[in-house]
Amino acid sequence: MQILGNLFYAMIFVSAVGSIYCVLSLFANHILRCMLPLWFCVCGMLLFCVPVLSWQVVLVSPEKQEWLDGFYTVCRIWSCGCGFLLVSDLIRLVLAKRAVKNYRICKEERIHNLCRQSGEDIGLKKMPELYWGTLNHPICVTGIVRPAIIMNEEILAQLSESEVSAVLCHELTHIKRKHFLLQRIYTYVCILNWMNPFVWIARGECSLHFETDCDYHVLRLSRGKITAADYASAVIRLMELSAFSAAGSRKGMGALSFLQTKRRIQRITAGSSKRKERITGVLLAILCVITLGISIQFSRGYFYPYPAYQTGTEYSAGYST
């Protein structure tokens, strides 16, 4: 129980630091209107699971620590919650894998040729398997080791050839950029920090940044073969068909999905400026440094020996020197 208590103690610390980073990310994204790059979101994910400590402290005290009964109770609740969410996630993975086995393999030569051409445009060497399926999304990527693209045949049949190419290029860029792997890692980070609402907010924001990162690299890697106007048109057309299909099933399109798509379209059509990207990169780097500084300073009052930063004299747990 002592080891589990120490792990939970460290998790409280990293969860607090990750929350600070999440608030700064929301400020930069929604107030300053910065387009957050993928590395900034990955840094936030790491801060939710890797403690950044001062070099003057250690994570686990070598002395016997007195833990409150209430702390152990919360620790047990935390561990039970982690176990429940982990089992639920594993069950969803098994069910999803079984569902994919029941989907039909796409044998349409036109789709395969467009997928192959899109893969060559973005520099993806190994092409994923293509399946026809019925999901909430018209097209999506699944699988980490052996990725596959699952498509809604009814919706893709209503797209033009250029729109299908743009959509396939988008999904292939997800595979090339390892977005699905990062998303799975973030899921387990959320399981460890399940009691903190900020980690779920950060995960939702990160999902949006995966899409904007993909949009940016599709236009860059296509080298002009896919224009911003054509790409934005394909996104809008796909949203329109998805909304119509969802309305038929009485689900409809949520306001949040609409707002996220609107933000994507604005960023696609706005273009990119090297000067603006550099300024944004410097600003985000400063936010990272601020978070790390807070983490290091906070750890000196949180871990052993503590509280060293208050008087310049280090204290052990319960004894002063």
Side-chain angles (χ1 to χ4, degrees), residues 100-101 103-105 115 126-132 135 139-151 168 171-172 174-175 180:
V100 171
K101 290 182 178 180
Y103 291 150
R104 293 184 294 113
I105 297 178
C115 183
K126 187 177 180 180
M127 293 296 104
E129 293 286 343
L130 302 178
Y131 292 91
W132 294 122
L135 298 174
I139 183 169
C140 67
V141 175
T142 183
I144 298 176
V145 180
R146 298 178 61 185
I149 296 179
I150 302 175
M151 305 169 293
L168 288 173
E171 299 304 324
L172 292 173
H174 275 309
I175 297 174
F180 192 76

Side-chain angles (χ1 to χ4, degrees), residues 150-288:
I150 302 175
M151 305 169 293
N152 187 307
E153 186 174 7
E154 181 181 349
I155 291 180
L156 252 67
Q158 302 178 61
L159 299 177
S160 65
E161 187 168 301
S162 60
E163 290 172 339
V164 173
S165 296
V167 170
L168 288 173
C169 199
H170 178 91
E171 299 304 324
L172 292 173
T173 304
H174 275 309
I175 297 174
K176 181 179 176 64
R177 300 282 293 169
K178 309 296 183 183
H179 289 162
F180 192 76
L181 174 61
L182 294 173
Q183 190 176 41
R184 292 304 308 161
I185 294 174
Y186 220 136
T187 297
Y188 296 121
V189 172
C190 288
I191 290 175
L192 291 175
N193 296 269
W194 66 268
M195 292 191 298
N196 185 355
F198 282 104
V199 72
W200 300 101
I201 295 174
R203 182 173 179 265
E205 288 290 308
C206 194
S207 297
L208 175 60
H209 298 319
F210 286 152
E211 297 300 324
T212 55
D213 178 77
C214 197
D215 296 337
Y216 172 80
H217 283 87
V218 165
L219 296 176
R220 185 179 66 85
L221 294 173
S222 65
R223 298 178 182 87
K225 292 183 178 180
I226 300 177
T227 64
D230 291 339
Y231 187 77
S233 176
V235 173
I236 294 173
R237 178 62 174 160
L238 202 62
M239 181 185 69
E240 177 187 359
L241 294 174
S242 301
F244 179 78
S245 176
S249 62
R250 297 183 180 180
K251 292 182 180 179
M253 170 171 271
L256 183 60
S257 298
F258 175 80
L259 291 175
Q260 289 178 346
T261 304
K262 180 181 177 181
R263 290 171 59 187
R264 286 180 59 194
I265 297 300
Q266 289 174 340
R267 290 177 176 178
I268 291 169
T269 55
S272 60
S273 169
K274 292 295 182 181
R275 182 172 178 272
K276 186 177 180 181
E277 289 180 3
R278 294 191 187 100
I279 294 175
T280 301
V282 171
L283 174 62
L284 297 180
I286 291 174
L287 294 181
C288 288

